[in-house]
Amino acid sequence: MQFLSPWFFAGLLAFGIPLWLHLFRREGSRRFPFSSLMLMRKISRKPVWRKTLRYRLLLVLRLVFLLFLAAAFARPFLKESGVTMPTRASQRLVILALDTSLSMSYGNRWAEALDRAGELLDRGTGTERFQIMAFDTETRILNLPSSHRGELRTVLGQIRPRNRATDFSQALEAARQAVESSDLPEKSVHLVSDFQKTGWTGGRAFPRFPPGVQLRLHPLGGPAGNGTVEDVRVRPQIFSRTYPDRLLVRAAWYGTEEQRREVRLQLNDQVVSSRTVLLRPGEASTLVFENFLVPEGAVRGRLLLLPPDPLPQDDAYHFALDRRDPYGILLLTEPAGAADTFYFQQAIRSSTDSPFRIEQRPPRSLPALEPFVLVVLTNPGEADPPITQRLRAFVERGGTLLMTLGPESLPERVPAELQALSPAKLKERVYVGAEKERFTSVGTWNKDHFLFGPFVDLEGTSLPSAQFYGYVLVEPHPQASVLARFQNGAPLLLERSMGKGRVLLYASSLGTRWNELPLRGSYVPLMQQIARYAAGLKETGAAYRVGEVLPAAPAGEARQWNILTPAGKRWSGRDLQKGGLILEEIGFYEVRDQKVTQLVAVNVPAPESRLDPMAKEDLRAWEAGSQGAPSQTVATAALTERERNQNLWWGILALALALLLTETLFSKIIPSADRPPNA
């Protein structure tokens, strides 16, 4: 039992009044001279002990009355209820949310987080129902509400920091939904985190918890310095022994004092080169590595920042290189038409470290086609049947055949076997100058096709401005698709699948004989796209970030794929076909099919390297801004219990009044003669 106004017990000093009257105050005897006792009446006196007992009882009544009167005004209440407890402890839900993002791996932050969570469990009375959540870029609810401490500690022991970034907004939203779905009258949310600035995206509305729900934040750690290799600009595919470009590295230091660190380049775990860099607080420095040798095949590249700091995961940047021999392109053209292939060859060879090698032959000296991915047949005329059969077999095995037309490509001259291989039937030659208009141009093209990826933006391309003076009018095959048309609607570029490969038909000349497209800026990217399409080359990055998705595999390829994660876990390619594989581990994934092994490098989320915590003012604003007024149910229950716990004073006051009445009656029955003076 406790008292709201214990200072009223100072009134017990009034005990001195009855004590003085009963025990200490005595009137002295008075002497009166009297002549004779003969006229006095004799009175027998009662025993002294009986009078003393009555006086003592009267004294006790008066003292107890004063004690009860002081206790009533001191307002006693029951200690086990407490004025600060609005509801019973068994009716309280506690959401315990732990930050499991990568930054929690810094130093001993995770151990500190587990200690703080354990303290929150121990602080309870044993009847709170705890629900544990773990959050980073996603929130996981790890248990049903429970008051079993052993079970809760087991759940805490199984949580580990992950390699993901922090997202406070979705964590708070998940906590809000959890408390709204609970029917317990009192709820609270405890957030244990290092509260990185990068974990809160500005502009999002702060989740408002239901009335009566308390949000408590438990910040961990403090100012911390961290170095990182933020980004690397690298060419993922190369086709020469020496790296043909400059490998750019951006290293940063987030701390208070500048540091001198070493950046080391490794290929297949072998040190290739190193640089020393001075890192200034809050700034990034760029380093250059060039003219280094690259091993053949799939290469594991790493850039290490040494010496490591308390967050070693972002001290290494992983990237994948793929060095292979150039893809073969075969040009089949007669010597007289060699001028048509000049611009094509220049377009293919224009890029640094071109992924293609070109070989030119006349059609009648057709070499073995296995080393080639693309065969270009220009201005076809008469062709021997064995050549057509070999070209068909090449396409059906997975090769690409590009047929470009010209003056010799008359319907009556091109063999039926070759036209059967083509995506369209040749009808007639068309010279635009012989008609009303002087030229025609490209009207429409399929912007969703790989070939026209560089031409999605119509304003940024010169493709429609190229003038065409001649072409061959064709009738598309039922199984062919038209990829581009002239302004008059005639087909310009067609595609037809055959076996594992495809045949492309370009209805005009490859050179400048019938058009001026080779003189336009659109010619180079278009020809390079055709070559890359034939080789199956796609724009891929050298590295991914944790949380990104490895793209789904085509249905035909997925059955042949096997994925090995950095931790050694295996996945089937069918998992990719169902939507892709979420990359959770830092390091290298191996994607294997029957022919080659592709490496997929994965690095930490970039925001996790910035460890700056949120300002304390912002955290206080979070706590204040998340709470509303107590709900009517909770407030009414709290008021009822508070009044019930504090109404003891009414009974004590009633007892005091009863004692006062008893003292009054008891004092009346004491004979006047037996009373002490002034009693």
Side-chain angles (χ1 to χ4, degrees), residues 408-415 419 426-429 472-473:
E408 300 296 327
S409 304
L410 299 175
E412 59 274 12
R413 297 194 59 182
V414 178
Q419 292 200 45
L426 308 186
K427 298 182 67 176
E428 60 177 331
R429 262 184 329 201
V472 176
L473 184 62

Side-chain angles (χ1 to χ4, degrees), residues 417-455:
E417 295 83 357
L418 188 58
Q419 292 200 45
L421 185 62
S422 170
K425 180 180 179 181
L426 308 186
K427 298 182 67 176
E428 60 177 331
R429 262 184 329 201
V430 176
Y431 291 105
V432 182
E435 302 176 353
K436 295 181 181 180
E437 298 181 355
R438 296 176 52 195
F439 61 87
T440 187
S441 59
V442 181
T444 60
W445 60 87
N446 186 354
K447 297 181 181 180
D448 297 327
H449 197 277
F450 178 83
L451 295 183
F452 296 100
F455 311 109

Side-chain angles (χ1 to χ4, degrees), residues 273-429:
S273 181
S274 65
R275 300 283 189 275
T276 301
V277 59
L278 180 64
L279 299 177
R280 293 183 171 85
E283 297 182 3
S285 300
T286 301
L287 297 90
V288 178
F289 292 87
E290 56 186 343
N291 298 325
F292 54 88
L293 298 179
V294 180
E296 190 173 1
V299 180
R300 302 169 185 261
R302 287 186 181 89
L303 281 152
L304 304 177
L305 186 64
L306 301 173
D309 52 44
L311 189 64
Q313 291 91 331
D314 65 350
D315 292 340
Y317 189 97
H318 305 81
F319 62 93
L321 290 177
D322 184 16
R323 181 199 150 190
R324 60 177 62 191
D325 294 332
Y327 296 95
I329 297 178
L330 177 62
L331 297 179
L332 296 179
T333 183
E334 295 292 345
D340 281 345
T341 65
F342 171 77
Y343 292 100
F344 178 82
Q345 295 187 53
Q346 295 302 312
I348 298 300
R349 293 169 176 163
S350 62
S351 61
T352 304
D353 190 37
S354 173
F356 304 102
R357 60 175 182 85
I358 300 176
E359 184 175 339
Q360 184 168 324
R361 296 284 189 91
R364 297 185 180 276
S365 60
L366 187 67
L369 300 179
E370 286 76 10
F372 303 99
V373 296
L374 174 64
V375 174
V376 181
L377 180 61
T378 65
N379 194 16
E382 296 180 357
D384 296 333
I387 296 179
T388 305
Q389 295 174 4
R390 291 180 60 187
L391 291 176
R392 177 182 289 272
F394 166 75
V395 172
E396 292 177 347
R397 289 196 304 267
T400 298
L401 173 64
L402 171 63
M403 299 173 59
T404 65
L405 306 181
E408 300 296 327
S409 304
L410 299 175
E412 59 274 12
R413 297 194 59 182
V414 178
E417 295 83 357
L418 188 58
Q419 292 200 45
L421 185 62
S422 170
K425 180 180 179 181
L426 308 186
K427 298 182 67 176
E428 60 177 331
R429 262 184 329 201

